[in-house]
Amino acid sequence: MMPKREMRIAPSVLSADFGRLADEIAAVEAGGADLLHLDVMDGHFVPNLSFGTPVVESIARHTDLMLDTHLMIENPAKYAKPFVDAGAGSITFHIEVVEDAPALVRLIRGLGVKVGVALNPGTPADAVFDIINDVDIVLVMTVWPGFGGQRFMEECLEKIAIIAARLGPSQWLEVDGGINAETIARVVDAGADTIVAGSAVFGSDDPGAMVGRLRRLAAGAAGSKLEQRA
Ligand code: DX5
Ligand code: ZN
């Protein structure tokens, strides 16, 4: 029997109550979250603003979880280092905004953190093929980025499967947008192993328990249909 794929659950603080952020983070950490997903928005690449380095710095002081930092911004090369200095453990940039993706991958790797590349729903898988072997994380958006609480886009499943087939066992295939107890099995079956969930976790009565529930659902799906990625 093939070994089980390792699954990671990454709550997105975008849907947390920022007035009591430390408590919200403590709850998901106690519930077994593997990463904390931080959605940085600049009001240009996406039509919304979220938070910047001061908030990341504060969060870093309150948790041991790796800060999985999703830059939905137009100039990731300029801001990668400030976010790493603030405590980011990975930097994921959007392929749609970069002209020289290999150079940006080298820049981020040189900062000593994991490197991720994200694709919008409208971006085909082959947009990242030339750097896919050089990144640690491929993040497939399953909604149009900008807002939490949107509906999962079924049509992104095929892209997840295409990318899963090209990744090695130590690379992470992350999915982000509309993932909840109903949709999680589908993305795991398609090949995802790192699951972002914002409103499903922080919108629930018990965010810590919801992390555990998502993990069990992911493990069940991973157990039923394995090893596209071994
Ligand atoms: C969307 C963000 C997501 C968002 C997910 O632009 O990248 O990380 O917080 O939220 P849910 O899980 O509510 O779709
Ligand atoms: Zn995100």
Side-chain angles (χ1 to χ4, degrees):
M1 201 176 125
M2 306 296 284
K4 285 207 171 201
R5 261 191 294 154
E6 191 185 339
M7 303 298 305
R8 282 162 292 269
I9 307 293
S12 164
V13 301
L14 194 62
S15 297
D17 177 351
F18 277 68
R20 38 185 296 276
L21 193 50
D23 292 345
E24 296 268 69
I25 292 169
V28 296
E29 196 165 353
D34 301 277
L35 314 164
L36 208 56
H37 186 80
L38 305 184
D39 288 304
V40 177
M41 304 180 181
D42 67 352
H44 293 278
F45 177 64
V46 288
N48 196 11
L49 289 161
S50 59
F51 52 81
T53 52
V55 171
V56 177
E57 248 179 76
S58 299
I59 290 174
R61 280 199 295 275
H62 284 95
T63 183
D64 293 327
L65 292 173
M66 189 191 116
L67 303 182
D68 172 39
T69 309
H70 178 192
L71 298 185
M72 286 163 277
I73 68 176
E74 272 181 357
N75 195 343
K78 180 173 175 189
Y79 292 101
K81 184 169 188 310
F83 278 101
V84 172
D85 291 343
S90 66
I91 296 285
T92 295
F93 64 89
H94 268 264
I95 194 68
E96 296 85 6
V97 300
V98 294
E99 275 168 26
D100 189 346
L104 183 55
V105 170
R106 285 193 299 275
L107 184 152
I108 296 170
R109 193 164 295 296
L111 298 171
V113 296
K114 285 186 184 291
V115 185
V117 63
L119 300 86
N120 276 342
T123 304
D126 63 13
V128 299
F129 283 176
D130 61 334
I131 53 165
I132 201 162
N133 296 324
D134 304 318
V135 299
D136 302 299
I137 306 167
V138 178
L139 191 168
V140 175
M141 291 303 305
T142 43
V143 299
W144 283 96
F147 301 91
Q150 301 183 78
R151 203 183 156 84
F152 174 74
M153 293 173 67
E154 203 80 33
E155 57 267 43
C156 300
L157 286 170
E158 193 183 338
K159 183 162 51 182
I160 296 168
I162 293 169
I163 288 173
R166 290 188 171 241
L167 292 180
S170 65
Q171 291 176 296
W172 299 358
L173 206 180
E174 186 167 26
V175 286
D176 184 4
I179 313 290
N180 55 35
E182 280 70 52
T183 55
I184 190 168
R186 272 174 270 165
V187 291
V188 172
D189 276 345
D193 54 48
T194 304
I195 312 296
V196 177
S199 52
V201 169
F202 290 109
S204 82
D205 293 342
D206 186 341
M210 182 52 82
V211 170
R213 180 166 176 220
L214 291 174
R215 176 184 304 292
R216 285 190 297 280
L217 290 167
S224 71
K225 201 179 179 193
L226 270 189
E227 295 353 318
Q228 301 102 322
R229 302 256 316 268

